[in-house]
Amino acid sequence: MGKLERIAARQDGRAGLSRRGFLLTAAGAGFMFGFARKAAASEVFPSAIPGGGLFEPNIWCAIAPDGTVNVNIIRAEMGQHVGTALARIIADEMEADWSKVKITQVDTDPKWGLMVTGGSWSVWMTWDVFRQAGAAARTVMIEEGARLLGTTPDACSARNGMVTANGKSIAYGDIVAKANPTRQFTPEEMARLPLKPASERRLIGQPVAALDIPAKTDGSAIYGIDAKIDGMVYARPKMPPTRYGTKVLSVDDTDAKKVPGYIRHVVLQDPSNIVPGWVMVVAKTYPAAIRATDALKVTWSPGETHTVTEAEIIDHGRQLIARTDGGTYVFDDKGTQDALNGAARHIEYDYTCASVAHYQLEPLNAIARRVDGVWEIHTGNQWQSLVLPQLADALQVPKEQIVMRTYLLGGGFGRRLNGDYAVPAALTSKALDGAPVKMILTRSDDMAFDSIRSPSIQRIRVGLDHDNRIVGMRYDAAAGWPTQVMAAAFMSKGTDGKPYDQFAIAGADHWYDTGPTQVRAISNDLANATFRPGWLRSVSAGWTPWALESFIDEVAHDLKQDAVAFRLSLFTATGRNAGQAPDSTGGAKRQAAVVQHLADKIGWGKTQLPADTALGMATSFGQERGMPTWTAGAAQVHVDRKTGVVTCQKIWLVIDAGTIVDPGGALAQTEGAALWGLSMALFEGSEIVGGTIRDRNLDTYTPLRIADVPDMDIEFVQTTEKPMGLGEPGVTVIAPAIGNAIFNAVGVRLRHLPIRPQAVLAALGQS
């Protein structure tokens, strides 16, 4: 058995958790949203709503006798105001008084179903169920309000927390206090309730005060790194040389013992194999833990990937693409190879992207302790349903004996979808007989331990007939697969029935009509074995449009066609590109519409700009084909021919994300996503050296700085279609728009991200 085969065998062992273990969606929305049993809001936070006699039509909302409305939120709050967005869905349908709406971020419990905050899913996934939940509350308020007012429900109306009929009104709180309603609804009953038309919405799409701002402003909001438990000790890891395969040979704590406050070290024994080779230093204070860890001497036997480089990973991906076997087909249209073989000529290019770190503001942290036989994990996390089985595996206890306490996240961006950082805290506490242990990673620890975005390579090939029409396309993409490594049961099935990581190919499964088309997703096993690939904001849609939209631009220029007109000609909206209600209604027609609107908005083809300055555009449907957010973007850049520095002067985005639930949050998220896209295009990226990430702090890792922020013009299409995602689509089109603008400005084509000045100078020297 060769090195990669041995490593792959270990990877398969780590990925052996079952679909049932992740509380996945096989049983539909009712299972996903946890209607397994009726549950009270008071079970979660007894003090969340003052007074007794709560009315709870379902597990998602409750009305108190004082009129307070509580909404239970299972999505992680990491700066995107997700609670405000989701609560207003219920409150609008309920006709609640927004000034009396509160939110509760709940802890883990099987009743909540799938707890995950990622993929821009939160509003899209919650929309239908929360509207039904609000309708259930409104229905009962009208029924009971009518009885108290001495009339019939059809004579009543509800608005702003009041039921009115014949000039008389009664508040929701008074209805609860006087009628003491107890009616509850099954998912089937809720699904049959009438919902308000869009014309009667009073909170959705309107500016309202974010519910989490006061606590974040006055300092009362508690993030994971703020959490404290009486009697806790602090821990910091001595990071091993490789992510996998490292073994501890010896530990010398002679110098560590000289640090005041040092308690001991712990060599972790991890059955889950998530943190092999870890040595934890335990101290009375965190500063002592930092100093003692630096002083600790550990001798390791490194894993087999300790010499792997980023160039080797990309070259390995190139070799995998060159093979005709392997990978999984997402599109595999009949006749593709015949069309390509019979083409008059071909256009083919490779595109590559460097590894990227998350570098979230709040370094990873977790507190673990055992209380009355139950393990408590105090931390901020994006995918509790993924982490609980991993913790159970590591601690060797049933997951029912573990609860994760919820905290705010000081940045997530996909890093906290992977809850690997909870495992060492839990194992250290276990070594201390369940005593409370708070683990905090330093910034350099955090970078070394990051689940980075995998380096990737993509190859796109089209065949053209004698009239220069595309007759077929082949698209291959190779990268590390985070879902394969961490949640294999969550992967999709390709047309050939084989599993693939949909989050390592989304964006390549485009809405263009390119004749018979093959799209193949390939797992880079060397990447998977070297580091723990992670989901990073917009996931594959952050790099697949870089290749696709650069390539489409290259083909347009080769054919001497306008880049916008060429794209529009490919949006035929036929076959699989026609779209399907309710998520992709309109299909490629809606993508064409945002492209045309963007072109009109920026005066495409009509704007005169200074020398070495130009516009570039790109379009995508990021996040995923099953929940498309139709996006068109443009960038205006200037290229300095002497230094190679590319300055992005302005960004435009036109986005059709369906109904915009929270306008302020939507704008803020899109701005942040666009700036991250710019950061990864021109500034941000790392490299694998010696089996691990090279950059460990901001002295060498260089994300976008304030001085580099361009003007931005963001517009959302007004529509009443079902809301899609907005946390991540803004990332998708920025890099290709910049790359296309560079070509339009100085005539050189860059095919690697990030675009460094030296690469621009090298390309100019060759042109």
Side-chain angles (χ1 to χ4, degrees):
M1 182 182 288
K3 179 169 73 174
L4 270 178
E5 286 78 6
R6 293 195 299 274
I7 295 169
R10 289 199 297 272
Q11 296 285 347
D12 290 342
R14 287 200 306 273
L17 295 173
S18 71
R19 180 174 292 265
R20 181 179 298 276
F22 289 119
L23 299 175
L24 301 187
T25 61
F31 179 75
M32 177 191 294
F33 279 90
F35 288 102
R37 69 174 181 88
K38 296 174 180 178
S42 54
E43 290 179 35
V44 186
F45 279 88
S47 60
I49 302 177
L54 297 175
F55 166 56
E56 299 171 274
N58 48 68
I59 67 173
W60 302 111
C61 61
I63 305 173
D66 68 349
T68 302
V69 174
N70 184 73
V71 178
N72 291 322
I73 304 296
I74 66 172
R75 310 301 173 197
E77 170 53 46
M78 46 191 165
Q80 82 281 38
H81 309 303
V82 67
T84 294
L86 300 184
R88 79 164 75 196
I89 299 173
I90 281 184
D92 196 314
E93 196 68 44
M94 184 193 294
E95 289 286 0
D97 178 350
W98 184 252
S99 68
K100 295 185 176 182
V101 175
K102 311 294 181 184
I103 56 176
T104 296
Q105 302 280 161
V106 302
D107 291 343
T108 54
D109 188 298
K111 66 175 172 258
W112 302 118
L114 179 65
M115 296 186 74
V116 59
T117 311
S120 294
W121 289 351
S122 293
V123 171
W124 168 75
M125 186 182 285
T126 311
W127 173 255
D128 293 324
V129 171
F130 267 30
R131 289 180 71 201
Q132 294 166 8
R138 171 171 45 83
T139 297
V140 176
M141 289 296 97
I142 289 177
E143 288 175 349
E144 297 296 338
R147 186 171 61 83
L148 292 171
L149 293 172
T151 185
T152 59
D154 58 358
C156 295
S157 62
R159 188 164 184 178
N160 200 35
M162 306 282 290
V163 173
T164 301
N166 303 320
K168 298 180 181 180
S169 297
I170 185 169
Y172 282 5
D174 291 334
I175 295 172
V176 172
K178 295 177 181 180
N180 192 25
T182 59
R183 181 180 176 186
Q184 293 188 318
F185 295 78
T186 67
E188 294 75 20
E189 290 170 337
M190 285 171 55
R192 292 193 293 268
L193 292 174
L195 301 175
K196 291 166 50 177
S199 60
E200 293 183 14
R201 293 173 187 158
R202 285 173 259 279
L203 293 173
I204 290 171
Q206 302 301 316
V208 300
L211 299 175
D212 58 335
I213 289 296
K216 291 178 178 178
T217 303
D218 64 24
S220 61
I222 303 298
Y223 292 79
I225 204 166
D226 299 324
K228 295 180 180 179
I229 293 177
D230 289 343
M232 72 183 185
V233 294
Y234 292 83
R236 180 196 170 199
K238 189 79 172 182
M239 301 302 298
T242 56
R243 183 68 195 243
Y244 298 118
T246 293
K247 296 180 180 179
V248 178
L249 300 180
S250 65
V251 181
D252 181 357
D253 67 350
T254 303
D255 292 335
K257 289 178 178 178
K258 300 175 184 177
V259 177
Y262 171 74
I263 298 174
R264 59 171 292 189
H265 69 272
V266 178
V267 178
L268 296 186
Q269 304 299 320
D270 180 15
S272 69
N273 201 34
I274 289 174
V275 287
W278 276 45
V279 180
M280 301 294 292
V281 171
V282 182
K284 294 179 180 178
T285 67
Y286 187 54
I290 293 175
R291 292 194 295 270
T293 303
D294 290 339
L296 194 75
K297 296 179 175 63
V298 181
T299 302
W300 285 284
S301 171
E304 297 179 41
T305 59
H306 71 282
T307 62
V308 172
T309 67
E310 182 139 331
E312 288 178 314
I313 291 172
I314 291 178
D315 285 344
H316 185 65
R318 185 175 285 108
Q319 295 167 17
L320 292 171
I321 287 174
R323 292 169 50 179
T324 57
D325 62 334
T328 303
Y329 286 93
V330 182
F331 292 164
D332 190 13
D333 296 340
K334 183 178 180 180
T336 302
Q337 286 304 314
D338 289 341
L340 291 173
N341 292 338
R345 67 185 184 99
H346 301 93
I347 299 176
E348 178 179 298
Y349 293 110
D350 287 358
Y351 302 86
T352 56
C353 296
S355 54
V356 176
H358 291 85
Y359 216 98
Q360 68 288 336
L361 181 63
E362 178 195 5
L364 298 179
N365 60 85
I367 297 176
R369 70 171 177 175
R370 186 175 60 226
V371 180
D372 297 329
V374 175
W375 285 96
E376 289 184 356
I377 309 298
H378 297 251
T379 190
N381 185 255
Q382 294 179 244
W383 196 351
Q384 296 91 327
S385 298
L386 172 68
V387 184
L388 285 170
Q390 294 175 343
L391 284 165
D393 191 15
L395 291 168
Q396 297 290 281
V397 300
K399 64 178 181 292
E400 290 76 18
Q401 293 180 16
I402 305 171
V403 61
M404 296 183 71
R405 303 300 186 195
T406 298
Y407 294 84
L408 302 183
L409 282 60
F413 314 119
R415 176 58 184 99
R416 286 179 163 92
L417 283 166
N418 174 14
D420 51 356
Y421 51 94
V423 170
L427 291 175
T428 306
S429 176
K430 183 177 182 179
L432 300 181
D433 296 323
V437 174
K438 182 170 186 175
M439 183 201 72
I440 307 175
L441 301 189
T442 65
R443 180 59 71 193
S444 59
D445 296 338
D446 199 351
M447 292 287 278
F449 188 48
D450 193 10
S451 293
I452 60 173
R453 188 183 80 177
S454 174
S456 60
I457 177 169
Q458 301 172 77
R459 177 171 297 164
I460 309 177
R461 188 182 201 218
V462 295
L464 303 169
D465 64 15
H466 292 288
D467 295 320
N468 279 331
R469 292 176 300 195
I470 296 177
V471 296
M473 172 182 278
R474 169 86 181 199
Y475 195 132
D476 297 287
W481 282 8
T483 314
Q484 180 184 26
V485 171
M486 288 184 271
F490 207 69
M491 292 198 294
S492 294
K493 292 289 182 67
T495 59
D496 48 10
K498 294 190 295 183
Y500 71 95
D501 187 345
Q502 60 271 36
F503 305 110
I505 194 65
D509 49 352
H510 55 78
W511 294 75
Y512 290 122
D513 184 351
T514 52
T517 298
Q518 291 177 326
V519 175
R520 183 172 59 142
I522 303 171
S523 175
N524 189 321
D525 50 344
L526 182 58
N528 295 341
T530 303
F531 54 91
R532 193 172 176 90
W535 303 279
L536 183 143
R537 193 170 189 175
S538 78
V539 207
S540 59
W543 48 269
T544 50
W546 159 245
L548 178 63
E549 288 299 293
S550 296
F551 182 81
I552 291 294
D553 223 63
E554 295 206 58
V555 174
H557 284 286
D558 181 279
L559 301 180
K560 297 180 173 55
Q561 294 189 30
D562 176 79
V564 167
F566 181 64
R567 286 174 170 83
L568 293 175
S569 72
L570 300 178
F571 288 133
T572 61
T574 58
R576 63 170 165 257
N577 299 326
Q580 185 176 2
D583 295 317
S584 58
T585 303
K589 290 181 180 179
R590 288 171 70 185
Q591 190 167 356
V594 294
V595 170
Q596 185 63 66
H597 186 68
L598 174 73
D600 296 339
K601 186 182 185 74
I602 65 177
W604 180 262
K606 303 173 184 177
T607 304
Q608 296 298 316
L609 296 171
D612 302 329
T613 304
L615 293 170
M617 66 83 57
T619 181
S620 187
F621 58 93
Q623 187 71 15
E624 302 167 45
R625 208 172 203 276
M627 47 162 292
T629 296
W630 313 105
T631 305
Q636 180 176 306
V637 308
H638 172 75
V639 181
D640 188 322
R641 290 179 178 268
K642 293 181 180 179
T643 64
V645 171
V646 176
T647 301
C648 182
Q649 299 173 333
K650 187 168 184 177
I651 286 171
W652 294 262
L653 285 170
V654 175
I655 296 178
D656 178 354
T659 298
I660 303 299
V661 172
D662 183 359
L667 179 61
Q669 290 207 68
T670 304
E671 288 173 338
L675 292 179
W676 196 315
L678 171 60
S679 185
M680 291 188 290
L682 297 180
F683 304 99
E684 189 171 348
S686 189
E687 182 182 358
I688 302 297
V689 177
T692 189
I693 190 171
R694 177 194 62 201
D695 299 289
R696 299 298 172 87
N697 218 314
L698 290 174
D699 54 344
T700 59
Y701 195 77
T702 56
L704 180 77
R705 266 47 173 190
I706 291 176
D708 299 308
V709 173
D711 291 337
M712 288 189 285
D713 183 333
I714 297 170
E715 180 180 347
F716 300 107
V717 173
Q718 298 300 308
T719 176
T720 58
E721 295 290 349
K722 182 179 178 180
M724 297 292 113
L726 270 173
E728 304 172 274
V731 172
T732 59
V733 296
I734 303 301
I738 288 172
N740 295 338
I742 292 171
F743 179 84
N744 293 337
V746 294
V748 298
R749 180 67 65 175
L750 285 305
R751 301 190 183 95
H752 177 76
L753 289 182
I755 300 170
R756 306 289 194 193
Q758 56 267 36
V760 176
L761 289 175
L764 286 169
Q766 297 169 5
S767 62

